[in-house]
Amino acid sequence: MPIDPQVSLVAGPLFAEAAEAAAGGSEGQASGRDIAADVVAVPVRPGPDGPTVAAGAAEVAERIESAKVLAHAGMHGDPGEVTGVPLVTEDGVIQLLFVGLGDGTPHSLRRAGAALARGARGRSAVATTIATGLDGEGLSTFVEGLLLASYTFSCASRPKNRNPAGAVALVVDDPAAGSAALARAETTARAVAFARDLVNTPSAEKSPDWLAEQAVAAAEGAGITAVVRGEAELRAEGFGGILAVGMGSARPPRFVELSYPGAADDPSRPHVVLVGKGITFDSGGLSLKPGDNMKLMKTDMAGGAAVIAVMGTLRDLGIRARVTGLVAAAENLPSGSAQRPGDVITQYGGRTVEVLNTDAEGRLVLADALAYADRVLEPDAVVDLATLTGAARVALGTTHAPLYANDDGLAEELTRAGTEGGDRLWRMPLAHEYRDALDSEVADLANISRKDYGAGSVVAALFLAEFAGRRPWAHLDIAGAARASSDEHEITKGGTGFGVRLLLRWLAAFPRS
Ligand code: BES
Ligand code: MN
Ligand code: ZN
């Protein structure tokens, strides 16, 4: 799968006429660049005496007095800031972009990459010195920001001037040295874009079976075995939660199991299980959602999308851990065959749940998957991702996702991977004081709180904890973070692909000694 724009590493020079001059008529061979850029971008850093051009300053100075331009534009050099000026060259008019680089931390580099992507939309070719002098980590972070902000949903039609730039040439000292970092960034960005595509696909197309097919297709050619359980298998093996949630829809549920062997020659390699909520549409079921709350519920499989996208990328990134990805896919609809409030269901493994609200469906499908992981897969760590509660969004909005964990080490690793990778987490308590809210008189557990504690995201996590067992387990409630209402930095409006960068980064380092 290609990803836009096409990024290459070149030795320079920055400006096309200079490139042509260097080529000296020798068929463009010696220039190191064969594209004539219609955008040239240089980095700007803040400083005590005002902002300065950080790389490519000399080439810019030959053509324009950048200090005056920056002062006129009121630019500081903060990450994400962009100032564009038309520049007349021998070949015509190009756009010269000054892009704020801030302090050069990964966070700033990601934003600078995103700012360049947005400033260059609708153009055909960009040449830039922003990546000059960066190490591998910096380069890949910058490119990730650039590629993620360039994302457009493949099915969406948009005006041509919103298309991502066609090609970006990064001027660096040693193009060969950066190629691995560039490839890593492209692989990660492609995985995030795939997760966003899955989330952005309308539910009319996105049935549980469709989602399972996407998972199988992603597994093919990625060194992964895929097993998809349909209704008959789910019934035979006792996946009562997935079946109950799915039975209101004419499009039956699926349970997807993706297995990646990891470094098979290393028997001591750890086994990680990733679990994703895959509700392809959440109407609430008979406990129907009011209209405004329902219209974005095609997003309710974002956890599953992240798991599928991560699994398809493990081999490309050389992940050594053994990883199993589980996606519990169902469509939550009201109908004559739907489950009713007050029904008692039997989850995988035999525990019973009183379904007091059919809109608390995510925990029912996840409970099956978590119990299956605990009882059958014997993992060393389990991480689930789910758009589980509106309360998570009330608590933290969209910048951070609530993290719950029964293991401090796992919580720390995930938080660090998230901060470094750009998917930020905030740890919340599994406050045991609230556990009795889930007591039921007719079953082992109720699926919603029967007390007035509030803390909806915490109570949902406590429900899941009952099924995760005693293994190191973490739960990410991505109800807020999975969808963005506007473009901002590397995030694009719609599905965000939250969790993909975090999990890939965490798995690459797992286990930490
Ligand atoms: N999918 C929703 C949670 C959600 C809400 C995700 C808003 C994204 C944005 C989930 O299935 C749900 O409906 N949760 C209920 C639980 C309640 C009935 C205990 C909620 O949060 O209202
Ligand atoms: Mn719901
Ligand atoms: Zn839901």
Side-chain angles (χ1 to χ4, degrees):
M1 224 193 308
I3 182 152
D4 291 327
Q6 194 187 325
V7 179
S8 58
L9 300 170
V10 301
L14 184 57
F15 284 89
E17 344 116 3
E20 273 160 32
S26 62
E27 248 94 294
Q29 279 295 314
S31 76
R33 264 199 30 225
D34 52 14
I35 47 160
D38 53 355
V39 176
V40 167
V42 291
V44 175
R45 279 185 186 270
D49 307 319
T52 51
V53 176
E59 284 178 277
V60 170
E62 281 175 28
R63 293 163 174 87
I64 193 172
E65 292 189 61
S66 53
K68 285 183 184 165
V69 173
L70 295 176
H72 176 79
M75 190 167 177
H76 302 288
D78 296 336
E81 251 184 306
V82 188
T83 295
V85 288
L87 193 67
V88 181
T89 71
E90 286 164 23
D91 303 323
V93 183
I94 63 163
Q95 179 80 346
L96 176 61
L97 283 185
F98 295 96
V99 178
L101 201 56
D103 51 7
T105 58
H107 190 68
S108 302
L109 287 169
R110 200 176 291 122
R111 292 189 166 188
L116 174 60
R118 295 193 197 288
R121 272 198 190 270
R123 308 278 179 182
S124 54
V126 178
T128 180
T129 50
I130 301 178
T132 307
L134 297 181
D135 63 5
E137 179 72 16
L139 177 70
S140 69
T141 307
F142 170 74
V143 174
E144 253 178 51
L146 172 78
L147 295 175
L148 292 178
S150 300
Y151 170 85
T152 52
F153 179 39
S154 38
C155 296
S157 59
R158 60 167 81 234
K160 211 161 182 246
N161 64 1
R162 296 293 303 150
N163 281 341
V168 176
L170 304 179
V171 175
V172 293
D173 297 330
D174 182 357
S179 61
L182 173 59
R184 189 152 27 93
E186 286 173 333
T187 301
T188 303
R190 205 179 292 125
V192 176
F194 179 38
R196 288 180 183 178
D197 276 347
L198 293 175
V199 171
N200 290 336
T201 299
S203 296
E205 187 181 347
K206 188 167 61 186
S207 64
D209 187 51
W210 181 91
L211 189 61
E213 276 175 16
Q214 299 298 308
V216 171
E220 258 168 37
I224 284 174
T225 19
V227 175
V228 178
R229 288 174 174 82
E231 266 185 308
E233 292 97 336
L234 292 172
R235 192 158 301 118
E237 295 178 51
F239 288 86
I242 298 172
L243 282 168
V245 172
M247 73 193 194
S249 170
R251 305 191 289 183
R254 296 283 184 265
F255 183 61
V256 183
E257 179 169 1
L258 303 172
S259 309
Y260 170 75
D265 57 352
D266 175 7
S268 70
R269 73 199 187 284
H271 181 197
V272 174
V273 174
L274 307 176
V275 179
K277 171 175 172 179
I279 300 298
T280 58
F281 185 71
D282 182 13
S283 71
L286 286 175
S287 312
L288 198 66
K289 285 181 184 297
D292 261 7
N293 294 0
M294 203 192 291
K295 64 184 182 214
L296 296 175
M297 282 302 146
K298 69 173 182 181
T299 308
D300 215 17
M301 36 58 74
V307 170
I308 293 168
V310 164
M311 294 303 297
T313 307
L314 296 173
R315 194 177 60 182
D316 280 352
L317 291 178
I319 306 292
R320 294 186 57 80
R322 180 184 158 206
V323 187
T324 303
L326 304 175
V327 180
E331 186 174 39
N332 189 23
L333 291 182
S335 78
S337 62
Q339 66 170 334
R340 292 148 289 254
D343 282 358
V344 173
I345 65 171
T346 304
Q347 303 273 175
Y348 187 90
R351 245 153 355 139
T352 57
V353 170
E354 181 184 11
V355 180
L356 289 172
N357 188 323
T358 63
D359 197 12
E361 85 297 338
R363 59 197 79 182
L364 303 179
V365 302
L366 288 170
D368 279 357
L370 290 170
Y372 174 74
D374 182 38
R375 287 162 178 261
V376 178
L377 300 177
E378 304 190 330
D380 299 297
V382 180
V383 180
D384 79 68
L385 294 90
T387 46
L388 202 62
T389 66
R393 198 148 146 260
V394 172
L396 297 182
T398 57
T399 62
H400 294 67
L403 158 72
Y404 299 86
N406 61 5
D407 183 285
D408 291 346
L410 179 60
E412 256 167 54
E413 286 175 16
L414 289 169
T415 305
R416 188 179 325 139
T419 306
E420 290 171 359
D423 292 325
R424 287 173 295 174
L425 302 175
W426 196 261
R427 191 169 182 192
M428 305 270 265
L430 283 163
H432 206 79
E433 291 85 339
Y434 302 147
R435 168 59 188 80
D436 67 354
L438 294 169
D439 287 345
S440 163
E441 272 110 58
V442 298
D444 295 328
L445 280 170
N447 83 322
I448 55 164
S449 172
R450 302 180 64 219
K451 297 246 166 128
D452 201 16
Y453 295 144
S457 178
V458 180
V459 173
L462 289 170
F463 182 93
L464 298 182
E466 295 290 319
F467 297 89
R470 280 202 249 298
R471 300 173 195 281
W473 158 73
H475 157 59
L476 279 51
D477 191 339
I478 61 170
R483 164 167 289 278
S485 57
S486 61
D487 290 350
E488 193 163 5
H489 303 302
E490 78 272 25
I491 297 302
T492 51
K493 184 178 177 185
T496 60
F498 188 93
V500 173
R501 288 182 280 167
L502 157 94
L503 289 174
L504 289 175
R505 189 171 276 263
W506 173 63
L507 287 168
F510 192 84
R512 248 175 253 265
S513 44

